[in-house]
């Protein structure tokens, strides 16, 4: 017989609550958050020990955070595991800092908040970002993000209109819709920041505008 609902729920439970294949009491109560918020690290040796220790002072009542993708025992997740994959495997949209990668283009960047609450985007170095010295590639990247932003906004409107009745009848739980929209909005914010970061410097825009004025003047003559 094919696996039933119990089997699939057990698999999802292991993915969400285990460290690889290990089910460890209390370990699943530690939440994920990267950057300055990560205050623990985990070391493990198969069939020998699994140890989580503080890497900074944790005050009474303070949340214990570990990282699901920037951890010593998960180096393979550094470039291809981020906000989207955390939602897929664990069911939540990670708080800032967020890790975004777009496999179609192989671009990687982080989005974080500064001390004033402003969002800041930081590209990975080297091959993980569009080549700033290649204007054709930069223009193609800007066009790609513009297209994806438009596509996602349109899809959000279509899905909302199509499935609005399901929100009313409760067949799709409200918390699931809330998570979906949270991820869609986070994606839009991240891509908009990426698009803005790829825009030419203001002086370049002014030079281009001046050149256009010269062309127009020449045409009028």
């Amino acid at each position: 017989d094919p696996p039933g609902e119990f089997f699939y729920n057990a698999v999802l439970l292991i993915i969400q609550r285990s460290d690889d294949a290990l089910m460890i009491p209390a370990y699943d109560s530690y939440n994920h958050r990267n950057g300055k918020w990560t205050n623990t690290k985990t070391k493990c040796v198969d069939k020998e020990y699994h140890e989580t220790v503080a890497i900074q002072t944790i005050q009474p009542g303070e949340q214990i955070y570990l990282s699901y993708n920037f951890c010593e025992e998960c180096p393979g997740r550094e470039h291809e595991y981020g906000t989207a994959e955390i939602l897929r495997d664990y069911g939540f949209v990670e708080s800032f800092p967020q890790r975004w990668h777009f496999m179609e283009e192989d671009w990687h960047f982080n989005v974080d908040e500064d001390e004033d609450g402003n969002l800041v985007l930081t590209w990975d170095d080297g091959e993980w970002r569009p080549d700033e010295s290649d204007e054709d590639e930069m223009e193609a990247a800007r066009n790609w993000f513009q297209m994806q932003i438009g596509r996602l906004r349109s899809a959000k409107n279509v899905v909302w209109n199509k499935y609005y009745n399901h929100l009313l009848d409760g067949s799709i739980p409200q918390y699931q819709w809330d998570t979906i929209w949270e991820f869609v909005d986070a994606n839009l914010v991240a891509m908009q920041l990426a698009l803005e970061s790829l825009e030419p410097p203001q002086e370049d825009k002014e030079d281009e505008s001046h050149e256009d004025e010269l062309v127009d003047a020449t045409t009028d003559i």
Side-chain angles (χ1 to χ4, degrees):
D1 293 337
E5 183 177 356
F6 179 82
F7 171 83
Y8 290 117
N9 287 338
V11 170
L12 290 174
L13 181 65
I14 291 174
I15 291 174
Q16 294 174 356
R17 300 298 183 180
S18 71
D19 187 5
D20 290 333
L22 299 176
M23 297 290 284
I24 304 166
Y27 186 75
D28 63 335
S29 65
Y30 302 158
N31 290 328
H32 158 85
R33 196 165 186 184
N34 283 321
K36 66 180 182 180
W37 304 94
T38 305
N39 52 21
T40 67
K41 67 177 181 180
T42 299
K43 297 181 179 181
C44 60
V45 174
D46 188 33
K47 298 180 181 180
E48 291 189 22
Y49 67 87
H50 187 286
E51 180 182 58
T52 300
V53 298
I55 58 175
Q56 61 191 51
T57 301
I58 302 176
Q59 300 296 334
E62 184 179 349
Q63 175 66 55
I64 296 176
Y65 287 112
L66 46 76
S67 175
Y68 290 172
N69 53 342
F70 289 98
C71 38
E72 293 183 6
E73 71 274 17
C74 56
R77 289 183 167 187
E78 180 178 355
H79 287 297
E80 297 182 355
Y81 197 94
T83 304
E85 290 70 31
I86 288 170
L87 172 62
R88 178 195 67 197
D89 292 344
Y90 300 99
F92 67 90
V93 179
E94 66 175 335
S95 301
F96 295 114
Q98 294 175 343
R99 177 71 169 163
W100 295 92
H101 69 93
F102 297 92
M103 290 186 291
E104 179 179 335
E105 303 296 337
D106 219 12
W107 296 331
H108 304 256
F109 58 81
N110 297 317
V111 176
D112 201 357
E113 286 183 315
D114 63 17
E115 294 181 355
D116 297 322
N118 301 310
L119 296 182
V120 179
L121 180 145
T122 305
W123 288 92
D124 283 12
D125 293 330
E127 61 181 317
W128 306 111
R129 60 159 299 155
D131 184 356
E132 293 179 283
S133 65
D134 187 336
E135 181 51 39
D136 289 338
E137 182 175 333
M138 293 289 284
E139 181 64 22
R142 290 192 287 268
N143 291 338
W144 187 87
F145 277 111
Q146 288 173 341
M147 180 179 68
Q148 299 305 322
I149 290 170
R151 180 186 62 81
L152 194 54
R153 284 175 175 165
S154 297
K156 180 179 179 180
N157 291 333
V158 169
V159 170
W160 173 262
N161 291 327
K162 184 176 181 180
Y163 293 104
Y164 178 74
N165 288 333
H166 291 287
L167 285 171
L168 300 180
D169 65 23
S171 59
I172 299 177
Q174 181 65 50
Y175 79 90
Q176 291 186 1
W177 280 113
D178 291 343
T179 301
I180 290 170
W181 300 134
E182 183 183 3
F183 177 68
V184 169
D185 291 339
N187 225 316
L188 286 169
V189 168
M191 289 194 291
Q192 184 63 44
L193 288 170
L195 175 61
E196 293 172 2
S197 76
L198 298 173
E199 291 292 344
Q202 187 62 37
E203 56 268 22
D204 291 351
K205 291 184 178 180
E206 293 175 355
D207 291 342
E208 291 175 1
S209 176
H210 182 62
E211 290 176 1
D212 291 340
E213 291 175 0
L214 292 176
V215 171
D216 291 341
T218 304
T219 304
D220 292 340
I221 293 173

